Amino acid sequence: MSGFFILHSIPVRPPVRSWLVRRLGRAGFGIAYSFQSLAMLGVLLVAANRAPYLALWPEPPGAHCLVLVATTAAILVLVFGLFRPNPLSFGGLRNTAFDPRDPGILRYCRHPVLLALLLWSGAHLIANGDLAHGLMFGSFALFSLLGTWAIDRRRQRDMGDEVWRRAVAQMRSAPMRLPPGARARFAGGLVAMALLMVQHPWLAGGGILEQFTP
């Protein structure tokens, strides 16, 4: 877990991020950062599945439905929140083009990546009551909460308290409307969820739909 958090946190530190962006470009940095994060996540999942099983709490009724719904929601949050201007979080593209009066999904969450991580890890934490998975998913959930708080504080400090608060207030009061390409993004999210379900036995050692069969 420590390796994941180190590799996940250091590249987004302002001095390191600036150095990497100058050499890779913004798009290259985003691709490389996402790839290494996903690779480390895969390593942790495999390690947790191979760890000795030590039960902490029983699986609650309906846990698989909760995981399915929460994971689908997390993927949709990602597809609507990624690759759009977002100066209030990390990793936004074309941030100078951001309009707080038309924030899209950012009207509801300033940090879509961290929200998606919280939805996914929180649901899996409830459903997996053994020590190895509890430590892993619990750490991810805590990381997403602390990360949200830390990024808000950093952006508030960098932008100035008044400017930050005004941008947040504008986003929250913006009219609710679907962004361009909303149908394509929604369809892409469902396709991604379907692919995840196909790959789930390899990643987690068990199929998703198998949990719903008697």
Side-chain angles (χ1 to χ4, degrees):
M1 289 301 300
S2 59
F4 174 86
F5 293 130
I6 290 172
L7 290 176
H8 198 80
S9 301
I10 290 180
V12 296
R13 299 295 299 174
V16 179
R17 175 185 167 89
S18 299
W19 186 85
L20 290 172
V21 167
R22 285 196 301 269
R23 283 153 180 78
L24 302 175
R26 288 188 175 274
F29 171 80
I31 293 172
Y33 183 71
S34 300
F35 178 79
Q36 67 91 13
S37 296
L38 289 174
M40 283 299 299
L41 178 59
V43 170
L44 288 175
L45 288 171
V46 172
N49 292 334
R50 294 179 177 179
Y53 184 86
L54 178 61
L56 298 178
W57 60 83
E59 180 182 307
H64 296 300
C65 292
L66 173 64
V67 170
L68 183 62
V69 171
T71 303
T72 303
I75 290 176
L76 291 176
V77 167
L78 283 178
V79 298
F80 278 95
L82 286 175
F83 308 117
R84 60 165 298 129
N86 185 7
L88 299 184
S89 191
F90 65 90
L93 299 177
R94 299 175 289 104
N95 286 341
T96 55
F98 176 72
D99 184 358
R101 297 166 298 181
D102 185 21
I105 195 174
L106 304 182
R107 183 182 190 274
Y108 309 98
C109 63
R110 291 186 295 276
H111 313 293
V113 174
L114 292 175
L115 175 59
L117 180 62
L118 179 61
L119 289 170
W120 172 78
S121 60
H124 280 78
L125 176 62
I126 295 173
N128 293 271
D130 63 288
L131 179 61
H133 288 90
L135 288 173
M136 182 180 68
F137 291 124
S139 297
F140 283 140
L142 182 61
F143 176 80
S144 64
L145 292 173
L146 292 178
T148 298
W149 173 80
I151 294 173
D152 277 344
R153 286 199 62 183
R154 183 186 304 170
R155 288 293 184 264
Q156 193 171 3
R157 181 183 64 246
D158 294 344
M159 298 172 63
D161 184 69
E162 184 177 348
V163 174
W164 184 85
R165 290 183 183 276
R166 184 165 61 247
V168 172
Q170 284 182 305
M171 288 169 54
R172 289 176 176 171
S173 61
M176 294 183 292
R177 56 189 177 192
L178 293 175
R183 292 182 179 178
R185 287 176 179 259
F186 186 81
L190 295 183
V191 170
M193 182 61 190
L195 292 175
L196 177 61
M197 294 172 69
V198 171
Q199 295 298 322
H200 199 270
W202 178 77
L203 291 171
I208 295 178
L209 294 181
E210 295 174 3
Q211 310 298 331
F212 297 92
T213 57

